[in-house]
Structures are given as structure tokens and as C-alpha cells.
Amino acid sequence: MRLSELQNGEKAVIVKVHGSGAFRKRILEMGFVRGKAIEVLLNAPLKDPIKYKIMDYEVSLRRSEAQMVEVLPQNLATTEDETKVHEAFTLRQENFADHPHSDSADGKKITVALVGNPNAGKTSLFNFASGAHEHVGNYSGVTVNSKEGYFKHKGYQITIVDLPGTYSISAYTPEELYVRRHIVNNKPDVIINVVAASNLERNLYLTTELIDMQASFVIALNMYDELQKSGNTFEYNQLGEMIGVPIVPTNSRQGEGIAELFDAVIARFEQQEKRKHVTIYYGNTIENAISKLCIQMDKLNMSHLQFPQRYVAIKLLERDADILRYVQSLSDGNLLIANAEEMAQHIESIQKEDAEAAFTNARYGYVAGGLAETYREVGTNPFLMTQALDKMVTNKYIGFPIFFIFMWLMFECTFRLGSYPMDWIESGVSLLSDWLRGFMADGMLKDLLIDGVIGGVGGVIVFLPNILIIYAFISFMEDSGYMARAAFIMDKAMHKMGLHGKSFIPLVMGFGCNVPAVMATRTVESRNSRMITMLITPFMSCSARLPVYLLFAGTFFPEQAGLVLFGLYFTGIALAVISARVFKRFLFRGEDSPFVMELPPYRFPTTKSVAIHMWEKSKQYLRKMGGVILVASVIVWFLTYFPTHESEMAALDNQIAQVEQSFADKAISQDERDEQVSEFERQKRKYHQENSYIGRAGHFIEPVMQPLGFDWKISVSLLAAMPAKEVAVSALGVIYTGEEEDENAPSQTLQDRLRNDVRTDGTPAFTPLVVVSFLLFVLIYFPCLATIVAIKGESGSWRWGLFSIVFSTGLAWILSFAVYQIGSCFIN
Ligand code: GDP
Ligand code: MG
């Protein structure tokens, strides 16, 4: 019987996983091995994916994938299957020799790396130990890079590295490869294997791989508080003795047990020379093959390898691509590989399962055996709350509405709640500029400060509260575990686009900032899906675009601002969907990635973690203000200020003087004088602006931009916004602030200036149609420089960075053109 045929609530035992390749490997690692019990949580007819519970955690599979798993319904299964795995648990001790780390003890320094499953609490532990304030996300793979922290403990200077979360350290996903490379190349003195006590069986699988690697490590039994609360008992000391690894219970959320953990790390470090090493016993057939390979390695003079010999032997039998490549690079490597292949086939013919599965089964057997002696479950189900909530948010009918209401709420709050602090900051900024205006002597410096710095940076800084609100929402979604559910209900839709439910996570993160979102595409396993996700991520309106949206929506559509925002975000999403389909069709054909995704239990985010996240973001935003945006504003100001055209200005001043003279001679009336003077003032401003460097640049590109409805000022602001999209607002701020020469007029806000701006023919510069065309252009064109660099980094070549520039800017032009031209036919 196949797993997909089981109905809601039915239980079964796994017999075999069919299929091949990535899917099979991943699903074996996740614990779908012979003899494991599985229960169906959610399998409604026609519903895809299906939710299962295996080894006390929840996982979702697509129906087509569940068809690959052969099961025996539980009433038919004997307990024999489960006892068989128990027997596999045998320990052997070997002398440990040849340790590579003996030279790093000088100056009492220790480097420590954190390795463990996603959501085991590595980042929390890292933060607590190092006192860092990094954000923690609550779905698999949020840590895409390693982070380093430093602190002192018991006279040691400890360097701690937070690595990405993985279920195993085979070299299958980029993250797994990253972790393995880190262990091999950086040789941390001690590894801390963070194990979630709420899910021991799957977490300890990774531990077996560390044992295979003969790594020097200790186990942090994290989330010990949850274990205690559940009433289950775990003799962790006993298990620690069996596997030869110290186990220290911790609660990294509260920081309990962390000091003891690092005591154990130091103890481990100090007795490195003497320590015994445990190995996992894989059964006769496999062990024979391993010993033969080890003997052959000795004969071939392979005693100083990057990896321990036993590990190389195991991985060769498993046909691990990374190790195969490594061995190929050695002299006589191919001989060894050929031998290993022969032995792997021998194992397969005897055990009637492929070598990879044989190893995975044995490892799970080892873990199950160890736990059988030390772990006692009481019958209660700690997941009742999670399951009740999941019934709602993943429901076929109300799942989507809940998601959209949540999104809509996010944008409404961003605009409405954000508008209060925004007003305060705005009046602060204008107070400051009025004060400076009255206080400073006229001159270039005054103009630079008021028009350049305050006009530019001030225009953008008012949006800080809105950005914080968006981040608070995203951070809540990540930390609570809702994001994984959103990915779950989106899988079907994403699948239609040729993507994976997991691609949804980077896309939502894109609403915050495209750069980490592009980096988060690493968690998507298939390269094709990853590339597509990366290329469509820039269509997600990041928070840098928000100031532009808010300014224009608030100025020209004040009544429907929330709706306009929602519309823009939605347009971005629609474009992403369409582009994904096009890319899938023409650029990245074939290969679908398996959908195996863990649904972490809901955890209410601590206010502290949300606050830390918001504080991080405000710091980043303020730094951006002081950096890119300040520099860009000053440059734009210089370009509007120079050249000064002294002779032309003098000529116009001369004419003003003549008017004043005629007025003094009573040749013209007061009204006539006022009118003529202001006309000349206007000509002065206009001449100066249009002939400034920026004016010339604007006029230069104007022919290309005119069909979209943009005059030279709008065009220039778009040009200036390439490093960061907020700069569009500051550039407009600088250009428009510079316009106002009349000292006595009440100071206008940028909004007033935009509204009152007219073209040479007297029509308003911004009609609703121009604004829509402009907002569309801002949404779509050139993702910022940092995003391009990130795309280059993740895709490994400039080609895709370049592609993204051309594609997005081209698309922006075409769409804005269409909207403006077609709209003009109807509106005028
Ligand atoms: P990572 O993916 O391994 O880096 O895990 P995180 O550090 O991001 O933690 C995942 C979630 O588990 C967060 O919501 C943490 O607040 C929570 N968490 C971490 N450690 C503990 C713990 O010891 N006890 C409890 N109850 N929750 C924890
Ligand atoms: Mg993490």
C-alpha cells in the first residue's frame, strides 16, 4: 500500500521509499526509513500537499511524492520491524589517534562551531553566548551565512560560529556542503551539536554523521524546558556515555545551561589527546567493506587525508558526490572508487536495498536503539495547540483568506499607524530647516545644508516608522512559524509556476529587503527553482520602495493610499508569477524539486526577539541614511547647483533692476512690477535648473522617458535612485527644495511642491496617469545595486546580474509606456 492512500488519522509503518535522486535522499534523511511509524494528519481528497506526522514532528509531502512511499497499515504491522532496528544499536570503541587540532591551543583560544537542525535553537544559543543581537527566524534555513561572535569563558578566548541549519551533512544542498566544508577547512576545535529535545530522533541523525566524521564535539540538549514540560523523561547522561559525547541540557531562550555547556566544551578541548572515539556499527556486510577500503587506503599510501579514513570509506560506499570528487583528485583515487563501487553493489545484493538507504537505516537504527534505553514518553500530545491552529490556517477554504487578511492588515497598519510618527518626524525636519534658514548666513553652505542634506535625507527619514512596522510583521511571521504554513498553502500555486513552496519564503522576505531574500533562495534545493526564485525576488516591493509609494500615494491619492499600496505590491506579485512561468518555459526547463518541508511547532515570538529585529533594522536604515542616501543627496545637490551661469543670471538680474527702476520712476504700477519681477525670477530659476548638470542629464534622457509621461526631473530622480530606491524621494526633495527662492513664502512641503509643479505649457507635471506610470516604473526597474551584487553572488556569475538589470528595466519601460499611452487615449 502507498502512503498517499492512507486516510486522515490512519497510522502505518514505512516499508520502503521508491524513486531515486534528490527526493529519495532527502526523505530518508528526514526519517522515512524502514520500520518507522507514520500518521496522516491532513489528507483531504484533492488536497495537495498532505501533512504527516513522523517521529513527533510534522512534515508535508506532495501527493505524487507520498505515492513513492510504500507502507504497511499499522494494524497489519508487527512490532518485529521496530525491534529489528533496535538490535542494530551496538557500540564499539576504538582508539582515537591522529587528531588534527593539537596545534591550536596556544594563547588559550578555542573556536567553536554550532551545528544542528533548523530551528534547534542555534542562533538563540549563539546570541546568548556572544551577547550578539542577531535576528532569529523560525523556519528552516533562515541562517544563510555563518556569523562569528567572540566572548571569554573560564580564561579562554572563545570564537563561536553560527552555521546554517541542516538535517544532515551529506553534500546535497548548498547549506549542507557549506557546513561540511566549514568543519573540514576551518577545523573548529570543538563543535557544539545543538539538538532539539522536543524532537530527539531526527536531531540525533545528524549526530551520527558527526560521529562518522570523528569530529570533536559536545551536544547541547536544547529546548530542555519543553522536554520537562511534556513530562517525558530522558536519561541524557546515560546516552552521552553510550555515544561517548557529553550532553548538556540547555534553554538558549532563557540562557540556562549555557555556562555548563561551555565548561563541557573546554573540558572536551583539554582532553582531546586522550579521548576515546566511538564508531557506529553498520552490521557485518558493511563493516567488512569499510575495513577492506581502509586497508586499501593504507596500501595506497592514503594516510593523511582531509577526512578520517573510515569516513571516506563510508561516504564512498554511499556514493557521496563531494567525497567522490575529492578521492578522484588523489593519485590512485579511481582505483579506490572502483573497488568501493563493487562493494556497494555487493552490499545491495545482500541487503536488498541500495547502499545509501542501508546506511540511513542503520543510522536511524542506532539512534532508535539509544533512545529506546534512555527515553520514556508519556502519552500526552504536546502538539494539540499547533494542530488546532494548523487546521485553520491550512484549511482549503479559509487558509487563503486568512493569509490575505493578514497581508492587507500589514499594509493598512503600515500606512495608518505609521502616519502618526511620520507626521512628528516631518514637523521635526521642517522645524530644523526653518531654524537653519533663519540662523545661517546666506551662501553655498546654507544651501547645501538646507537643500541638499535636509531636503534629501529628511525626505526619506520620515518613512522610518513605516519600515519598522513592515519589519515587525515579517519578523512575527517568521518567528511564530506562520511563514512555513504560508509556504505550505502556497505550494500548489507555486508548483504551477514551476516553483517550490519553499520559494515562497524568500519572496515574502523580499518585502523587507531584496538582498537577504536573494540570499535566502539558498534553501531552495533545485538549481532551476532557485534561479527562478532569485530572478523574480526583485518584483517583491522592498521597504526601500515604500517611501516612494507612500509619498506619491499620499500626495495624489490620499483617500485610497492603502489600496494603492496593496495594488502595487500585488502587481509586483503578479509580475513575479508571470515571469516565473516564462523563465520556467524558456530558461530553466525540467527538474522539479521535492517538497519535503518541516512545519515547526508554533512558538509565540518573544517581544525581545521582535524588538531586537526592529532595532537592527532601524540601525541599518539610519546607517543607510548616513551613507548612500546622504552621499547621493549631496551629489544631486551639487549637480543641481552647478554650473552657476553667472553671466546669464547677471543679465536677468539686470532686467529686474530695470523693472525696479521703472517702478521707482512711477512708470509702472505696483501690480505690474510684482508680476514682471516674479516672471524674471521664474526665468532665472528655470534657466539655472535646466542648464545645471543634472538638468542637462535629465534633458539628455528625457526623449527616452517622455513616452512614459516623465519630464526631466522625474527622469533624473529615477537615474539617481539606482543605488537605493529611496534616493528617488531624496533626489526629488533636493530638486524641488532648490526651486523655492522666495524667502517670505511659507515653507512648502515636498507634497505641495509636487502637486503644484507645472510643465512649460502650464499643465500639471504630475497627472494621476503620470503618477501611476511612475510608481509602476519604480516598482519594476533596476533592482538596487546591492541586490544585483547578491544575485551575482548566489548565481555565481555576473551574467545573471546583468540579465536581471536588462530584464527588469526593459519590462518597466514597456509597462509604463503601455499604461501611459493607453491611459492617455481614455483620460484626455
Ligand atoms: P536555529 O534555526 O537553530 O538558529 O533556531 P533559532 O535560534 O532561530 O530558534 C528557533 C525558535 O526556537 C525560536 O523561536 C527560539 O525562540 C526558540 N528557542 C530556541 N531555544 C529554545 C529553548 O531552549 N527553549 C524554547 N522553549 N524555545 C527555544
Ligand atoms: Mg539560525
Side-chain angles (χ1 to χ4, degrees):
M1 186 176 190
R2 295 305 166 102
L3 185 56
S4 52
E5 297 164 41
L6 291 183
Q7 299 307 311
N8 266 348
E10 284 187 339
K11 295 179 182 165
V13 172
I14 291 173
V15 177
K16 193 170 179 182
V17 179
H18 296 271
S20 62
F23 165 70
R24 182 152 191 277
K25 172 131 203 198
R26 164 48 43 100
I27 201 169
L28 286 172
E29 285 166 6
M30 301 275 293
F32 284 69
V33 295
R34 183 163 31 90
K36 280 274 125 56
I38 187 160
E39 181 186 342
V40 183
L41 291 178
L42 210 86
N43 179 4
L46 300 179
K47 184 156 165 84
D48 213 6
I50 311 174
K51 219 164 75 171
Y52 295 101
K53 183 169 151 197
I54 183 166
M55 297 189 318
D56 278 341
Y57 74 94
E58 293 180 4
V59 65
S60 56
L61 294 185
R62 290 198 186 122
R63 189 171 293 278
S64 57
E65 290 159 351
Q67 269 159 10
M68 309 287 266
V69 181
E70 200 174 315
V71 295
L72 203 58
Q74 200 166 52
N75 44 1
L76 300 177
T78 56
T79 46
E80 193 196 331
D81 292 302
E82 300 198 31
T83 40
K84 224 190 280 168
V85 277
H86 187 173
E87 280 160 17
F89 184 74
T90 336
L91 295 172
R92 273 197 343 188
Q93 306 241 314
E94 267 178 15
N95 276 326
F96 182 79
D98 234 11
H99 198 270
H101 309 304
S102 35
D103 56 354
S104 44
D106 56 306
K108 295 194 117 190
K109 282 186 185 148
I110 307 184
T111 57
V112 175
L114 296 175
V115 174
N117 283 16
N119 282 311
K122 295 174 300 302
T123 306
S124 308
L125 204 164
F126 174 87
N127 285 348
F128 193 90
S130 64
H133 300 292
E134 288 292 344
H135 169 60
V136 280
N138 194 23
Y139 53 86
S140 71
V142 76
T143 315
V144 287
N145 264 319
S146 58
K147 284 178 227 109
E148 266 190 20
Y150 311 92
F151 64 100
K152 281 213 167 77
H153 187 75
K154 299 266 165 78
Y156 278 92
Q157 176 71 44
I158 297 181
T159 305
I160 182 169
V161 184
D162 186 20
L163 292 173
T166 58
Y167 296 109
S168 84
I169 32 181
S170 56
Y172 168 51
T173 64
E175 290 163 318
E176 288 171 11
L177 199 59
Y178 187 91
V179 172
R180 190 197 277 182
R181 292 266 159 83
H182 183 93
I183 295 175
V184 175
N185 299 339
N186 299 41
K187 296 194 177 52
D189 294 307
V190 181
I191 291 168
I192 295 179
N193 177 202
V194 183
V195 166
S198 50
N199 191 343
L200 285 168
E201 209 165 349
R202 199 200 56 217
N203 275 262
L204 287 171
Y205 180 84
L206 180 56
T207 310
T208 62
E209 294 195 302
L210 288 172
I211 294 176
D212 275 343
M213 283 183 97
Q214 304 183 4
S216 153
F217 70 107
V218 301
I219 291 177
L221 182 63
N222 198 35
M223 307 203 177
Y224 193 65
D225 52 316
E226 289 191 354
L227 182 95
Q228 284 175 319
K229 228 189 297 165
S230 71
N232 299 341
T233 60
F234 179 35
E235 304 290 331
Y236 56 86
N237 279 328
Q238 198 187 336
L239 184 78
E241 261 162 48
M242 287 189 215
I243 63 176
V245 180
I247 300 183
V248 184
T250 57
N251 173 350
S252 44
R253 208 167 167 167
Q254 245 73 55
E256 287 156 18
I258 306 284
E260 290 80 358
L261 176 67
F262 283 96
D263 290 348
V265 167
I266 289 172
R268 188 65 170 183
F269 179 74
E270 285 173 346
Q271 4 146 319
Q272 236 154 48
E273 303 307 316
K274 318 185 270 280
R275 99 197 148 90
K276 294 276 194 192
H277 199 84
V278 174
T279 56
I280 294 169
Y281 180 67
Y282 285 105
N284 248 331
T285 327
I286 294 181
E287 287 297 335
N288 262 336
I290 295 176
S291 335
K292 277 187 198 155
L293 283 174
C294 287
I295 292 169
Q296 199 188 5
M297 278 184 249
D298 278 336
K299 277 195 195 139
L300 294 173
N301 257 332
M302 296 180 186
S303 49
H304 288 285
L305 299 177
Q306 251 183 20
F307 305 88
Q309 280 185 350
R310 183 180 163 88
Y311 184 69
V312 173
I314 292 171
K315 289 293 151 183
L316 283 179
L317 292 172
E318 282 188 283
R319 305 189 180 94
D320 178 286
D322 189 45
I323 296 289
L324 279 172
R325 235 175 289 128
Y326 168 67
V327 173
Q328 260 162 8
S329 72
L330 305 171
S331 62
D332 294 328
N334 283 323
L335 196 66
L336 190 69
I337 291 172
N339 254 323
E341 180 54 36
E342 207 174 287
M343 288 176 201
Q345 281 169 17
H346 177 65
I347 293 170
E348 283 164 355
S349 70
I350 290 185
Q351 304 211 346
K352 305 261 181 296
E353 60 188 341
D354 64 84
E356 204 173 304
F359 277 98
T360 315
N361 282 333
R363 290 194 189 109
Y364 266 111
Y366 181 83
V367 171
L371 287 177
E373 295 183 23
T374 54
Y375 184 65
R376 290 278 167 276
E377 264 186 46
V378 293
T380 62
N381 181 353
F383 295 104
L384 276 181
M385 229 273 282
T386 294
Q387 278 169 11
L389 269 176
D390 273 358
K391 280 237 165 64
M392 268 167 48
V393 301
T394 63
N395 181 283
K396 191 161 73 176
Y397 300 105
I398 60 172
F400 278 99
I402 288 179
F403 177 71
F404 282 111
I405 289 173
F406 191 82
M407 285 312 214
W408 175 81
L409 199 72
M410 175 163 110
F411 295 122
E412 276 300 307
C413 284
T414 304
F415 196 78
R416 289 197 198 281
L417 281 186
S419 67
Y420 299 101
M422 188 173 143
D423 286 345
W424 306 333
I425 300 180
E426 203 160 41
S427 40
V429 168
S430 71
L431 270 180
L432 181 69
S433 85
D434 285 348
W435 178 72
L436 274 180
R437 220 186 283 276
F439 160 84
M440 284 180 70
D442 278 355
M444 206 176 106
L445 186 64
K446 178 177 176 178
D447 290 346
L448 171 66
L449 277 182
I450 292 176
D451 301 343
V453 176
I454 298 180
V457 176
V460 179
I461 206 164
V462 297
F463 298 107
L464 179 64
N466 310 83
I467 285 168
L468 288 185
I469 293 171
I470 280 244
Y471 271 112
F473 270 90
I474 293 178
S475 147
F476 182 86
M477 273 167 77
E478 286 177 2
D479 288 358
S480 64
Y482 181 65
M483 195 84 112
R485 271 69 186 185
F488 176 83
I489 59 171
M490 286 296 170
D491 181 61
K492 209 166 174 186
M494 301 303 277
H495 199 52
K496 290 218 173 86
M497 295 156 56
L499 291 179
H500 189 275
K502 266 192 192 170
S503 299
F504 188 68
I505 292 169
L507 293 181
V508 174
M509 281 175 83
F511 289 146
C513 174
N514 288 176
V515 176
V518 166
M519 295 208 270
T521 56
R522 272 187 212 185
T523 54
V524 181
E525 280 145 21
S526 109
R527 180 179 151 84
N528 279 352
S529 298
R530 195 162 62 236
M531 287 303 306
I532 296 176
T533 312
M534 199 183 299
L535 292 175
I536 63 172
T537 297
F539 289 129
M540 300 296 116
S541 293
C542 63
S543 57
R545 274 165 260 191
L546 196 57
V548 188
Y549 296 172
L550 289 172
L551 175 65
F552 280 85
T555 307
F556 296 98
F557 309 102
E559 299 304 319
Q560 302 90 13
L563 205 65
V564 171
L565 272 192
F566 190 78
L568 281 164
Y569 279 80
F570 191 79
T571 310
I573 295 170
L575 286 174
V577 171
I578 298 166
S579 322
R581 299 200 66 153
V582 173
F583 291 158
K584 178 79 183 171
R585 184 85 201 268
F586 296 105
L587 285 176
F588 304 99
R589 251 172 284 183
E591 182 200 0
D592 192 15
S593 53
F595 183 79
V596 186
M597 195 167 63
E598 188 192 350
L599 300 173
Y602 288 105
R603 294 201 170 84
F604 204 82
T606 53
T607 23
K608 195 174 138 210
S609 89
V610 175
I612 285 177
H613 192 190
M614 288 173 66
W615 166 235
E616 273 290 300
K617 290 300 156 195
S618 16
K619 261 198 327 208
Q620 260 175 30
Y621 194 67
L622 292 174
R623 221 175 284 145
K624 202 167 170 186
M625 296 290 112
V628 175
I629 291 178
L630 178 66
V631 171
S633 303
V634 170
I635 292 176
V636 170
W637 177 83
F638 265 98
L639 296 178
T640 47
Y641 202 76
F642 293 104
T644 48
H645 303 290
E646 304 209 344
S647 60
E648 287 86 349
M649 291 299 123
L652 283 164
D653 278 337
N654 217 356
Q655 292 194 297
I656 293 176
Q658 278 175 15
V659 173
E660 297 287 7
Q661 187 58 47
S662 325
F663 178 60
D665 298 342
K666 303 224 161 64
I668 53 172
S669 71
Q670 171 84 39
D671 282 352
E672 282 171 320
R673 174 254 168 205
D674 287 354
E675 194 181 312
Q676 290 181 15
V677 168
S678 74
E679 172 56 23
F680 283 124
E681 290 286 359
R682 204 186 65 78
Q683 280 186 19
K684 252 174 80 177
R685 278 201 306 272
K686 186 161 170 289
Y687 186 88
H688 176 246
Q689 240 191 3
E690 303 210 340
N691 289 288
S692 65
Y693 291 118
I694 208 158
R696 289 179 206 170
H699 284 295
F700 181 72
I701 58 167
E702 199 176 8
V704 187
M705 304 306 262
Q706 212 159 23
L708 319 185
F710 305 161
D711 65 5
W712 69 269
K713 289 180 212 166
I714 307 177
S715 310
V716 153
S717 74
L718 290 170
L719 208 58
M722 284 176 29
K725 290 205 171 170
E726 302 96 323
V727 176
V729 171
S730 25
L732 287 170
V734 174
I735 297 172
Y736 278 95
T737 315
E739 268 198 345
E740 185 191 13
E741 300 277 306
D742 193 347
E743 305 277 315
N744 307 319
S747 79
Q748 292 184 312
T749 62
L750 181 54
Q751 295 203 339
D752 297 330
R753 294 200 184 101
L754 291 175
R755 227 175 283 142
N756 298 334
D757 188 29
V758 286
R759 296 169 193 242
T760 27
D761 58 4
T763 55
F766 291 99
T767 61
L769 200 55
V770 173
V771 173
V772 171
S773 163
F774 174 73
L775 286 176
L776 267 182
F777 199 88
V778 169
L779 161 65
I780 308 166
Y781 89 118
F782 191 85
C784 69
L785 272 183
T787 303
I788 296 292
V789 172
I791 291 179
K792 184 247 158 192
E794 292 302 313
S795 66
S797 94
W798 278 113
R799 223 179 62 186
W800 292 114
L802 217 69
F803 174 83
S804 171
I805 296 175
V806 173
F807 176 72
S808 59
T809 312
L811 187 66
W813 195 91
I814 293 169
L815 283 184
S816 291
F817 178 82
V819 165
Y820 184 71
Q821 295 299 334
I822 296 174
S824 301
C825 300
F826 292 102
I827 290 180
N828 282 325

